Amino acid sequence: MKRSKLLWGVLGGAAVVAAIGTLLVGGLSENVVYFLTPSELVARGTEAVDQPLRLGGQVKPGSVVWDAEELDLIFAVQDSVGEIGVRYTGAQPAMFREGIGVVIEGSMQGNGVFEATNLMVKHSNEYKAPHGDSIPGTMYESIIRPEVEE
Amino acid sequence: MRGRLRWMLPLAAVPFLGLLMFGLARNPDFFPTPLIGEPAPSWHLETLEGDSLSLAELRGKVVVLNFWASWCVPCRAEHGVLLETARTYPVDEVQVVGIVYDDSRRNAQRFLDQLGNTWLHVVDPGIRTAIDHGVHGVPETFFVDRGGAIGAKHIGPLTWDVVQANVDSLLASPPVTAPVP
Amino acid sequence: MNSLIGSAAVTAAWLGSGVLAVLGLVAGYRRSPELLRGAKYTATFVFAAMAVALATMEWALLTHDFSVEYVANVGSLETPPYYTAISLWSSLEGSILFWAFILAAYTALVVFVQRRSTSRLLPYALGVLGIVGLFFYGLVATVASPFGVVSPAPLNGPGPNPLLQNHPLMGLHPPLLYLGYVGMAVPFAFGIAALLSGKVDEEWIRTTRRWTVTPWAFLSLGIIAGAWWSYEVLGWGGYWAWDPVENASFLPWLTATAFLHSVMVQERRGMLKTWNLTLVIGTFLLTLFGTFLTRSGVLDSVHAFTEGFIGPLFLAFIAFVTLTSLTLIAWRADRLHSPGSLDGVISRESSFILNNLIFAAFTFTVLLGTTFPLVIEAINGDRVSVGPPYFNMVSIPLGLLLLFLMGVGPALPWRRTTGERLKRSFVRPVVVGLVVATASLALGVRSPYPIITFAFAGFVMTTIVDEFRKGISARRRISGVGFFRGFGQILTRNNRRYGGYTVHAGIVVIIVALAVSGTWRFEREATLRAGEHMVLGDYTVQFDSLWAFEEPHRVVVNSAFTASRAGRLLGTIEPRMNFYSQQPNEPIATPAVRSFIDADLYLTLMAFDQQNASHATVRVIVNPGVPWLWIGGMIIAIGAILSVAPQRHRTPAVSVFAGRATEVPKTDENSGVDAERDLEPAGATSS
């Protein structure tokens, strides 16, 4: 009697472990997102199409086309060797500019354009950034209202 | 659990600890500076003394371009290294230039009076030059070769080894880009 | 001066901690009351020293003493006082100082609470806490010292990281988390003390119940406050992203929760001894691991900041704790055999064991997902990340299983049950669950997970309500009180049990809120000119105006939108973008959230016309269920407070000897209900 209960326990445990193992292996293999540079992505060719990816590189100077009405952003991201065209729909991150490092989440389309679902400006948080004579104040001078509101 | 095998139990943790060790050893920064090997952004700025200075004037020398501020504590730590740099290399070979990053002239001057100053410093209104260089914070240092191209970049306080390795290699090698007239 | 006092204080604490370690361990080994007394004094001294250090640091921060290195790093004259005070934990050195202070406080509290204890475990536990302290105070005194001298002192500093000074919750989230993390050192110390002393029976578990529930509650609230903070600050309308650092706080929560349940099996049935020790050690290690992750840059995370020396030292300490603990378990293996065994397949203990299996699996999956990028990189150098889809995929089924067990476990008796009993306990809950499932279907819910969640939630809530009802009616039968008196009495007399159920109720609320917000969230982003509006479900959002204003430490870009819901005007909603002078190019969004009973309307200013403020880009998110996450958190807090509150006994007039009331055997309150009684042997933890 006791033995059979133990058996049940072991079987139950094994079933749980097996189920979880299956979930895990399936889950991990499907949901690993590779982090590539533009040249690595170019090297993968069509193999990379439709896979979720993170692409890291620099916004190519002169490549940015921005439609503020439609929130449509097209630019090229490059590293020292290759470049990839990127299309993103949504507001530009505030720090987005030509030449800056970006991390783009999305996937390569069959037409060779990287469709971005998320666009992040890469910033290092290693060292403290500056402080001083109100640079933001001068940046947005034209829309500052003098009265301080709460 | 009773046999000798139980003493093997702690070994189970070793692979995981090894993995963490590997994690520590890896370089967390995925991005090489896209600027490496490219011409350094040009600038023409006013020095703390009120003269004007531009990168173009320094063509032919290796330039150690150091972004710093008086409120930055690590900058104090690396100041001695910069003093050493300016003392070691002849000024017609290697020019150290400090770019004062988001700081008032008065505080910057006070910092230099206290800690010593044997090289050139320029002020960077609106940190435009820093933004051009992709500076995220201070201290950050760029090593510019004789042809005006960026040879290396260092984030965080300099050490003498870093300076020596980068400056010596730039002095030894020909300019990465041909000098532009 | 502040530097000098602070350095002296942390150095004193460090040395004191060494003395504490030696005195504690030797006192335990020699069973010497004199040495134990010495250890207690030392622990008090260490606490005093750390209190001085902490007070000095706060003083230095608030008085802007920039000659203190930490103040020079994170302070600034422009930062408002509140954020100056909490900048104690805005950077590495300060947070380790704070951590170390909490450790000293917990250690002193152990000394105080256990002051009359003659347990053999106490000296060892103090010794173990001394060793842990040796590491942390050592960090504070040496490589991570916040008290370095900056000479000459700068006139001003850069101020704390903008992200950390943008929302008042920053004053709550880290301290709660730290109180949770560090508190786990106490049960760990008693667990190791049990191994060292060889007294591996249930004593250490009874002694540490409150010492586990309390940090568990802090950890839970810390996690929830963290989710709330990121919801209010990060501007993407979410509260949990499975970021490595979030996972790092979730992992010890999982093992601690498993531990809270599995100890009951050991208390009751003497089973799972090794398992419980493994859990308590694992929990402590995971808190260290969490700190290591945040502080070492091992994994890419939005929270990480790299610091040279700390990482390797932390790793060395983690290795030391792991190897020592496992060796101790191996050493005591022959004493760790369980006298009890599983009687019935369907019983309270089997449901707890299953619960623990699932918690262990959960921990493993989250840990695997968190460290998998490292594994891949170690194997072939590829940089990968494991995204939320993986975590959601594995955690939803596991979470649902746990939710289900939450309803089953408490209603099952210990040892074995009968079909009759099962029917009595579960017919109503199952019916309620089915009704909820049918109702969800009828209301148009089609995705399976939400339906299962709601059905299980209905099932669990019914069992909880039934437990309360049974308890109350038993009270009413025994003492003839009314419903509300009865309710009050079960809460005060059997607070551990009903506190636990209250926590369960809070968790059910949170799980339902997660399912709702995960399923029905929707958002739209648009660029609007002044006067233009957008429609989102039954919400209308119109852009009115935009302006900026300056504050000493930042520039605020403020936008004003008029919102209405189903034609009813909601007034003005003002999402902002804050530009701190530290990071002028990286604005910190301040979303504006309007909460309703069923949903949040969440507006984030994404971009704006910098020249004449004529248009703005706004992301509007309708987040159903989210308000209930925070409400659920509050219910958990109430339940946790209930369950650790001192038990109120009916004290017969004969037994009022001062200080001995706790030893009066407790009368069995629930005997009429359920062979079940409170698990806590009288007096064991009331000390």
Side-chain angles (χ1 to χ4, degrees):
Chain A
M1 188 60 200
K2 210 167 169 182
R3 182 151 295 197
S4 83
K5 275 173 186 165
L6 186 71
L7 190 67
W8 273 112
V10 170
L11 279 180
V16 170
V17 169
I20 288 162
T22 318
L23 273 176
L24 276 186
V25 172
L28 268 177
S29 58
E30 275 169 34
N31 290 300
V32 161
V33 179
Y34 279 83
F35 198 169
L36 300 178
T37 61
S39 50
E40 285 168 342
L41 182 55
V42 170
R44 293 204 172 198
T46 53
E47 185 194 325
V49 168
D50 284 341
Q51 272 186 355
L53 286 175
R54 289 208 292 165
L55 181 62
Q58 185 200 14
V59 178
K60 187 182 177 188
S63 72
V64 178
V65 180
W66 167 235
D67 179 344
E69 288 292 312
E70 298 294 320
L71 299 177
D72 195 29
L73 178 64
I74 294 170
F75 62 96
V77 61
Q78 64 174 17
D79 57 10
S80 44
V81 188
E83 65 174 80
I84 297 274
V86 180
R87 185 192 166 136
Y88 175 69
T89 307
Q92 287 187 20
M95 208 186 166
F96 184 85
R97 49 190 286 279
E98 294 181 348
I100 201 148
V102 284
V103 177
I104 311 154
E105 291 175 353
S107 59
M108 201 66 192
Q109 305 302 300
N111 60 8
V113 174
F114 192 85
E115 195 73 37
T117 52
N118 195 9
L119 173 59
M120 292 164 289
V121 169
K122 168 73 181 169
H123 57 94
S124 125
N125 37 18
E126 203 157 341
Y127 280 86
K128 309 259 159 22
H131 160 78
D133 308 327
S134 194
I135 289 162
T138 57
M139 280 168 71
Y140 302 112
E141 225 157 13
S142 57
I143 58 171
I144 286 187
R145 288 187 190 172
E147 76 274 28
V148 171
E149 313 205 8
E150 208 28 359
Chain B
M1 278 296 277
R2 271 188 197 171
R4 291 216 165 169
L5 221 56
R6 70 189 195 196
W7 297 108
M8 305 298 278
L9 185 62
L11 292 181
V14 171
F16 188 69
L17 294 171
L19 188 67
L20 293 186
M21 199 129 80
F22 164 78
L24 268 187
R26 83 197 249 275
N27 170 20
D29 200 6
F30 181 66
F31 287 93
T33 298
L35 295 169
I36 302 284
E38 304 276 321
S42 67
W43 45 263
H44 191 120
L45 298 166
E46 197 179 321
T47 66
L48 277 179
E49 288 75 28
D51 305 330
S52 102
L53 181 72
S54 70
L55 182 66
E57 292 168 38
L58 302 171
R59 187 99 359 130
K61 296 184 192 181
V62 168
V63 180
V64 178
L65 205 57
N66 171 247
F67 290 87
W68 67 279
S70 70
W71 46 261
C72 146
V73 176
C75 297
R76 287 164 191 265
E78 70 172 7
H79 201 80
V81 175
L82 288 166
L83 283 169
E84 179 73 20
T85 309
R87 195 171 63 226
T88 308
Y89 296 101
V91 74
D92 53 341
E93 292 272 323
V94 175
Q95 178 66 57
V96 182
V97 178
I99 298 194
V100 181
Y101 183 78
D102 189 26
D103 203 355
S104 69
R105 279 166 183 267
R106 192 173 61 91
N107 284 355
Q109 193 58 58
R110 187 166 170 269
F111 177 97
L112 294 173
D113 293 346
Q114 285 164 345
L115 296 177
N117 173 27
T118 56
W119 60 96
L120 298 170
H121 294 271
V122 292
V123 287
D124 179 20
I127 63 166
R128 284 288 153 219
T129 310
I131 290 174
D132 288 343
H133 284 76
V135 170
H136 298 300
V138 280
E140 231 172 79
T141 305
F142 292 81
F143 297 91
V144 181
D145 75 7
R146 292 204 189 101
I150 293 177
K153 172 189 175 183
H154 181 79
I155 297 173
L158 288 167
T159 60
W160 177 240
D161 293 343
V162 170
V163 171
Q164 208 175 20
N166 285 311
V167 171
D168 287 352
S169 92
L170 290 184
L171 282 174
S173 61
V176 175
T177 51
V180 186
Chain C
M1 194 57 200
N2 285 329
S3 281
L4 197 64
I5 297 173
S7 302
V10 291
T11 310
W14 189 24
L15 298 176
S17 186
V19 176
L20 175 62
V22 173
L23 282 179
L25 295 181
V26 176
Y29 186 69
R30 294 227 192 118
R31 308 194 185 193
S32 152
E34 289 75 30
L35 289 177
L36 175 60
R37 201 175 316 129
K40 289 176 173 177
Y41 286 135
T42 316
T44 317
F45 166 77
V46 169
F47 171 62
M50 284 310 296
V52 169
L54 192 86
T56 309
M57 180 49 75
E58 272 301 337
W59 176 254
L61 280 168
L62 290 169
T63 57
H64 301 296
D65 178 357
F66 294 116
S67 71
V68 176
E69 189 175 351
Y70 188 73
V71 182
N73 274 324
V74 306
S76 100
L77 295 171
E78 292 82 10
T79 307
Y82 174 71
Y83 291 104
T84 299
I86 66 171
S87 62
L88 175 65
W89 47 79
S90 72
S91 191
L92 174 84
E93 292 83 2
S95 20
I96 293 191
L97 172 68
F98 186 50
W99 175 295
F101 166 77
I102 297 177
L103 179 65
Y106 270 117
T107 310
L109 202 63
V110 168
V111 169
F112 176 75
V113 172
Q114 301 274 323
R115 62 193 177 282
R116 297 206 180 81
S117 162
T118 52
S119 162
R120 277 191 58 205
L121 300 181
L122 181 60
Y124 282 117
L126 289 177
V128 174
L129 287 169
I131 292 172
V132 176
L134 205 54
F135 172 69
F136 278 102
Y137 311 140
L139 281 185
V140 182
T142 58
V143 293
S145 171
F147 289 109
V149 181
V150 184
S151 175
L155 297 173
N156 200 348
N161 181 341
L163 207 50
L164 307 184
Q165 53 162 315
N166 199 51
H167 197 280
L169 271 174
M170 215 50 215
L172 200 61
H173 159 55
L176 285 172
L177 210 53
Y178 285 10
L179 282 166
Y181 270 9
V182 186
M184 294 299 174
V186 178
F188 165 77
F190 276 92
I192 296 294
L195 285 170
L196 285 172
S197 65
K199 211 172 162 316
V200 291
D201 58 3
E202 283 66 61
E203 185 192 340
W204 73 275
I205 280 175
R206 287 198 301 266
T207 315
T208 57
R209 188 182 76 83
R210 287 208 176 87
W211 296 106
T212 315
V213 175
T214 309
W216 178 88
F218 281 130
L219 190 55
S220 309
L221 297 179
I223 292 171
I224 294 167
W228 201 352
W229 173 80
S230 62
Y231 184 69
E232 296 275 342
V233 171
L234 297 184
W236 57 286
Y239 37 80
W240 190 263
W242 297 105
D243 178 90
V245 172
E246 290 170 349
N247 296 349
S249 63
F250 189 47
L251 287 167
W253 185 87
L254 287 171
T255 50
T257 313
F259 179 72
L260 284 178
H261 292 91
S262 70
V263 290
M264 288 191 249
V265 179
Q266 186 176 345
E267 277 178 292
R268 243 348 236 235
R269 306 292 321 276
M271 297 156 64
L272 302 181
K273 284 181 176 170
T274 315
W275 176 242
N276 284 329
L277 283 164
T278 312
L279 278 179
V280 82
I281 292 164
T283 304
F284 179 64
L285 278 172
L286 286 170
T287 66
L288 292 180
F289 177 66
T291 319
F292 172 72
L293 280 192
T294 358
R295 299 304 180 221
S296 67
V298 164
L299 293 166
D300 301 308
S301 156
V302 289
H303 297 66
F305 41 111
T306 30
E307 292 287 333
F309 286 116
I310 313 288
L313 284 173
F314 246 99
L315 185 55
F317 186 61
I318 290 176
F320 167 75
V321 173
T322 315
L323 299 177
T324 316
S325 307
L326 290 178
T327 308
L328 283 174
I329 290 184
W331 176 47
R332 291 298 191 191
D334 31 359
R335 298 198 190 191
L336 288 168
H337 284 280
S338 299
S341 69
L342 219 48
D343 286 343
V345 177
I346 299 176
S347 63
R348 176 78 64 91
E349 54 267 45
S350 67
S351 81
F352 278 177
I353 289 168
L354 191 55
N355 140 315
N356 263 252
L357 273 176
I358 298 171
F359 270 114
F362 212 151
T363 311
F364 178 72
T365 57
V366 175
L367 190 62
L368 184 69
T370 310
T371 51
F372 195 67
L374 268 187
V375 178
I376 291 287
E377 198 182 334
I379 292 171
N380 61 11
D382 281 344
R383 297 256 175 165
V384 304
S385 60
V386 177
Y390 161 77
F391 291 104
N392 289 336
M393 198 189 85
V394 293
S395 62
I396 292 172
L398 292 173
L400 285 175
L401 276 175
L402 287 171
L403 176 63
F404 177 69
L405 282 178
M406 212 195 288
V408 174
L412 285 177
W414 291 95
R415 288 178 180 272
R416 59 174 65 81
T417 187
T418 60
E420 185 53 36
R421 267 192 77 118
L422 281 179
K423 211 151 102 194
R424 191 147 42 92
S425 306
F426 290 114
V427 168
R428 277 167 44 88
V430 169
V431 169
V432 171
L434 290 174
V435 167
V436 171
T438 320
S440 317
L441 270 169
L443 288 172
V445 184
R446 285 296 173 268
S447 20
Y449 277 147
I451 296 176
I452 299 173
T453 310
F454 301 151
F456 282 3
F459 168 75
V460 178
M461 276 300 192
T462 314
T463 60
I464 293 173
V465 170
D466 278 354
E467 288 297 323
F468 272 94
R469 275 199 359 218
K470 276 191 272 183
I472 293 168
S473 62
R475 282 300 327 152
R476 295 180 65 183
R477 259 205 319 282
I478 294 166
S479 43
V481 294
F483 181 83
F484 291 102
R485 281 289 297 280
F487 184 64
Q489 283 183 358
I490 61 167
L491 289 187
T492 49
R493 285 161 202 257
N494 211 340
N495 51 357
R496 175 176 179 185
R497 185 166 170 189
Y498 292 97
Y501 292 151
T502 311
V503 170
H504 278 185
I507 297 211
V508 174
V509 168
I510 286 180
I511 292 179
V512 171
L514 289 174
V516 170
S517 72
T519 313
W520 288 288
R521 167 198 156 114
F522 57 107
E523 64 174 83
R524 238 189 96 189
E525 208 171 282
T527 302
L528 301 174
R529 298 185 178 287
E532 284 181 347
H533 69 272
M534 66 191 283
V535 178
L536 192 68
D538 54 351
Y539 297 87
T540 308
V541 175
Q542 175 188 305
F543 173 51
D544 296 331
S545 61
L546 178 114
W547 67 94
F549 56 90
E550 286 184 88
E551 284 177 3
H553 59 307
R554 63 184 183 188
V555 170
V556 179
V557 174
N558 193 102
S559 59
F561 294 83
T562 309
S564 63
R565 182 179 191 185
R568 200 168 56 84
L569 209 59
L570 304 172
T572 309
I573 299 181
E574 303 191 351
R576 293 173 163 190
M577 226 184 245
N578 295 334
F579 293 80
Y580 289 83
S581 37
Q582 289 97 320
Q583 300 178 357
N585 293 308
E586 270 170 71
I588 309 293
T590 306
V593 185
R594 190 61 61 93
S595 295
F596 306 95
I597 192 77
D598 60 333
D600 275 354
L601 178 64
Y602 185 106
L603 265 64
T604 309
L605 179 61
M606 304 292 292
F608 56 90
D609 173 14
Q610 299 178 7
Q611 292 313 311
N612 33 32
S614 66
H615 59 80
T617 306
V618 64
R619 176 188 283 172
V620 181
I621 307 171
V622 176
N623 252 333
V626 169
W628 289 90
L629 288 176
W630 326 133
I631 295 173
M634 287 161 206
I635 299 176
I636 291 178
I638 293 168
I641 291 169
L642 264 179
S643 91
V644 295
Q647 197 128 9
R648 278 253 309 275
H649 298 282
R650 195 166 35 178
T651 34
V654 285
S655 68
V656 284
F657 307 119
R660 312 206 94 212
T662 53
E663 284 166 34
V664 173
K666 196 171 53 178
T667 46
D668 195 345
E669 307 293 358
N670 288 320
S671 47
V673 186
D674 197 327
E676 166 80 32
R677 44 178 289 186
D678 191 279
L679 306 170
E680 192 170 50
T685 61
S686 319
S687 45

